[in-house]
Amino acid sequence: MTIPMGKEDDCSERNKTMNSKLFSDLYSASEYYRVCNTYHEKIANSKTNIQNCKNNYIELKGKKKNPSVANIFLVMFGVVTCLTFLPDAEIRPAGILIAIAIALVVIFNILRCKSYNDKHSKQADKLWYDKWGPAIAQAEKDIQKANQRLMKYKADHYNCINFLPNQYQNYSATSYMAIAVRNGRADTFKEAANLYEEQLHRWRMEQINEEIAAQNWAIQNNLASLGQQQAETNKLLKDIENLEFYNAFVKNN
């Protein structure tokens, strides 16, 4: 479809009269928050890495086998064996051998669990010194460096956001309003802010609708499950009814 010349001229003229200073201010503010968010993301990732390393160390260090439960049953079996075999002189040697065997198994079980625990403890310590410890030290350096750069960046560029009201001091608001001004949808900060508030309302409504749709889907699934259960119950009742009728028929005949 051909655009009338008048409309084309109006668009061109509007682009020419775009509030360049407002766009520049909003764009600078959006860049400020984008860079700050990047530093915050780096800091958060480093903290996550530190926590993961600590969790891995604790998990491996905590891998232990406790011989107590098995040993208790073995000792109880040994006591019962001694009480059964020792009073009788003929089978006493067999009881003594069984008791010695049980004692050896208990000792072996203790040594086996101790070896298992020592192995994982040493493995955890080795990984800590070779891998997780250095990774944590590097992550802490990265956090310190990122915090220093973030503070310096905020100090050097704070003036680019001091014109913003508190509710618009974020990347989403400034970037949206900058685009609105660039596209000629707003000539003043008030117009850009109103457009952003309208968009926020649409986003909230979309989120609410998505939550409602998810709840409805869950309700439908629950109803379908209840319907299936009811159908199975009805079938079972019908089978019981048919069985009772058949038994009564056989009894009467």
Side-chain angles (χ1 to χ4, degrees):
M1 184 178 68
T2 304
I3 300 177
M5 292 299 294
K7 295 290 184 181
E8 197 173 50
D9 292 341
D10 290 345
C11 291
S12 176
E13 187 63 27
R14 188 168 182 80
N15 288 335
K16 290 180 182 178
T17 58
M18 179 188 73
N19 191 332
S20 299
K21 185 179 185 308
L22 178 59
F23 170 75
S24 177
D25 291 342
L26 289 171
Y27 178 78
S28 298
S30 68
E31 281 296 294
Y32 171 86
Y33 288 114
R34 183 187 66 79
V35 174
C36 289
N37 290 344
T38 301
Y39 280 119
H40 285 302
E41 185 176 355
K42 289 181 179 179
I43 293 171
N45 290 337
S46 296
K47 289 182 178 180
T48 300
N49 292 337
I50 290 174
Q51 191 60 49
N52 288 339
C53 290
K54 291 180 178 179
N55 291 341
N56 290 335
Y57 175 75
I58 293 172
E59 181 181 359
L60 186 58
K61 191 79 171 178
K63 278 189 175 182
K64 295 183 181 297
K65 286 187 177 180
N66 192 342
S68 300
V69 176
N71 288 346
I72 288 173
F73 283 106
L74 288 171
V75 170
M76 290 176 61
F77 179 74
V79 171
V80 172
T81 301
C82 290
L83 293 176
T84 304
F85 285 76
L86 293 182
D88 193 333
E90 294 182 358
I91 60 175
R92 186 177 300 164
I96 294 173
L97 290 176
I98 293 174
I100 293 173
I102 291 175
L104 292 174
V105 171
V106 169
I107 295 172
F108 172 78
N109 191 32
I110 293 173
L111 294 176
R112 181 181 63 85
C113 291
K114 184 177 184 303
S115 176
Y116 177 91
N117 297 338
D118 291 343
K119 174 186 173 182
H120 284 88
S121 179
K122 291 178 181 178
Q123 185 179 2
D125 291 337
K126 186 176 185 306
L127 285 172
W128 177 265
Y129 290 114
D130 294 345
K131 181 180 178 180
W132 296 326
I136 289 176
Q138 183 60 48
E140 289 175 345
K141 290 180 181 179
D142 292 341
I143 290 174
Q144 184 179 6
K145 187 184 297 183
N147 277 323
Q148 291 174 351
R149 291 181 177 178
L150 177 61
M151 292 176 62
K152 185 177 185 306
Y153 182 82
K154 285 184 175 182
D156 293 342
H157 298 83
Y158 181 77
N159 290 334
C160 69
I161 64 167
N162 57 10
F163 72 99
L164 290 169
N166 291 335
Q167 65 269 33
Y168 302 123
Q169 291 185 4
N170 58 77
Y171 177 75
S172 175
T174 51
S175 60
Y176 184 91
M177 289 189 288
I179 293 173
V181 174
R182 184 193 63 186
N183 293 340
R185 297 178 60 204
D187 294 323
T188 63
F189 180 83
K190 182 178 179 180
E191 292 177 354
N194 287 337
L195 288 173
Y196 177 68
E197 292 293 343
E198 292 173 2
Q199 184 60 44
L200 273 182
H201 177 71
R202 283 192 289 270
W203 285 335
R204 293 190 190 103
M205 294 305 298
E206 290 174 0
Q207 182 179 2
I208 292 173
N209 290 334
E210 289 177 358
E211 292 175 355
I212 292 174
Q215 291 175 359
N216 289 336
W217 182 81
I219 292 172
Q220 292 297 327
N221 279 348
N222 290 335
L223 290 175
S225 178
L226 290 174
Q228 183 178 0
Q229 292 177 6
Q230 185 63 45
E232 292 175 355
T233 302
N234 292 339
K235 182 178 181 302
L236 179 61
L237 293 174
K238 187 67 175 177
D239 292 342
I240 294 173
E241 182 180 349
N242 291 337
L243 180 62
E244 291 176 349
F245 176 79
Y246 175 77
N247 290 336
F249 177 79
V250 171
K251 184 178 180 180
N252 292 332
N253 290 277

